[in-house]
């Protein structure tokens, strides 16, 4: 009884314990109280597990979307930088202000957003009107998409962590309820605790 069972194990074990208690209604004077507690816990285990699974799925989808935006952002950044390199000498001050010397390739999502914003600002004052109009709009749209994707991924990560913590707390409560049930059954049966019940309580 010292460890917290895994989510799926807790749900399956809870169902088996409820079934075992149901079979002994005639033997246990306190069975209705115990069954009510375990049915409530079983429902909470299922709800918590489902919520945790959904949070993980949403988090993964959010990461995938953020990655798509990152790939598109890096691609657009490289394209514009190549165009600038063709229009300016690479040692020109304006080019040096925009570029981070190749470090952009290792940018975090937040750093990439800053790179795109800095490039957009540089284009707006570059005087290359056609490039500024075309690429400036693309940078603005992609920056908005990336910013939203970053925020959504962060939010999903928070929900995933919170849901995982809630799930662990519910399983800890279940572990305690299970321990109380074990003590009550041992108090009733003594050394004659039925084999199927003994097996259930010896699992963890």
């Amino acid at each position: 009884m010292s460890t917290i069972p895994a989510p799926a194990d807790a749900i399956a074990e809870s169902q088996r314990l409820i079934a075992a208690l149901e079979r002994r209604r005639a033997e246990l004077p306190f069975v209705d109280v115990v069954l009510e507690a375990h049915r409530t816990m079983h429902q909470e285990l299922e709800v918590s597990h489902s919520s945790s699974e959904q949070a993980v799925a949403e988090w993964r989808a959010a990461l995938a979307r953020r990655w798509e935006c990152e790939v598109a952002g890096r691609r657009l950044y490289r394209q514009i930088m190549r165009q600038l390199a063709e229009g300016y000498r690479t040692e020109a001050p304006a080019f040096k202000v925009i570029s981070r010397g190749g470090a952009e390739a290792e940018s975090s999502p937040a750093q990439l957003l800053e790179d795109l914003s800095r490039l957009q600002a540089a284009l707006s004052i570059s005087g290359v009107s056609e490039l500024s109009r075309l690429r400036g709009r693309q940078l603005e749209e992609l920056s908005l998409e990336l910013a939203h994707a970053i925020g959504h991924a962060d939010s999903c990560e928070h929900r995933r962590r919170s849901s995982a913590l809630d799930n662990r707390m519910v399983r800890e409560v279940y572990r305690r309820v299970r321990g109380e049930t074990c003590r009550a059954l041992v108090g009733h049966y003594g050394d004659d605790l039925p084999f199927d019940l003994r097996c259930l309580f010896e699992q963890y």
Side-chain angles (χ1 to χ4, degrees):
M1 291 298 300
S2 61
T3 61
I4 300 177
D9 292 338
I11 292 172
E13 192 278 334
S14 172
Q15 197 165 19
R16 288 194 296 270
L17 181 52
I18 289 172
L21 292 171
E22 285 280 9
R23 291 193 298 269
R24 289 173 171 76
R25 276 187 169 277
E27 304 173 12
L28 299 170
F30 52 84
V31 70
D32 288 335
V33 175
V34 175
L35 277 171
E36 182 179 359
H38 278 278
R39 287 182 182 131
T40 298
M41 282 307 314
H42 187 78
Q43 184 177 12
E44 291 183 9
L45 285 167
E46 289 184 323
V47 170
S48 178
H49 181 52
S50 176
S51 176
S52 180
E53 290 287 293
Q54 182 178 352
V56 169
E58 291 175 354
W59 170 68
R60 288 174 176 167
L63 288 183
R65 175 56 185 159
R66 190 186 71 185
W67 175 248
E68 290 175 0
C69 290
E70 287 183 63
V71 170
R74 295 181 198 283
R75 183 182 299 117
L76 180 60
Y77 185 91
R78 288 195 300 270
Q79 290 172 353
I80 295 174
M81 290 299 284
R82 280 198 297 269
Q83 288 180 297
L84 289 175
E86 292 170 0
Y88 300 97
R89 292 180 303 143
T90 57
E91 65 272 14
F95 190 87
K96 290 183 177 179
V97 168
I98 298 170
S99 175
R100 291 198 293 119
E104 297 88 346
E106 302 298 328
S107 294
S108 68
Q111 288 172 329
L112 174 59
L113 186 58
E114 292 178 1
D115 291 338
L116 295 175
S117 297
R118 185 167 56 253
L119 183 54
Q120 184 181 357
L123 285 178
S124 69
I125 59 174
S126 66
V128 187
S129 59
E130 187 61 31
L131 181 63
S132 298
R133 285 197 298 271
L134 174 63
R135 293 305 198 180
R137 285 195 301 271
Q138 292 176 328
L139 282 168
E140 182 178 8
E141 293 173 0
L142 191 51
S143 293
L144 287 174
E145 290 181 10
L146 178 57
H148 179 269
I150 291 173
H152 184 55
D154 289 346
S155 177
C156 287
E157 167 68 5
H158 176 74
R159 286 197 297 272
R160 182 188 71 84
R161 289 178 179 273
S162 178
S163 182
L165 179 59
D166 289 344
N167 186 262
R168 183 174 179 83
M169 290 175 64
V170 169
R171 286 184 288 126
E172 169 61 19
V173 173
Y174 168 69
R175 186 185 69 83
R176 293 178 183 176
V177 171
R178 186 171 173 274
E180 292 171 1
T181 299
C182 179
R183 287 188 289 274
L185 291 172
V186 170
H188 178 77
Y189 287 108
D191 294 335
D192 296 324
L193 184 66
F195 178 75
D196 58 336
L197 289 175
R198 185 180 298 110
C199 289
L200 283 174
F201 290 110
E202 289 177 350
Q203 286 184 20
Y204 306 106

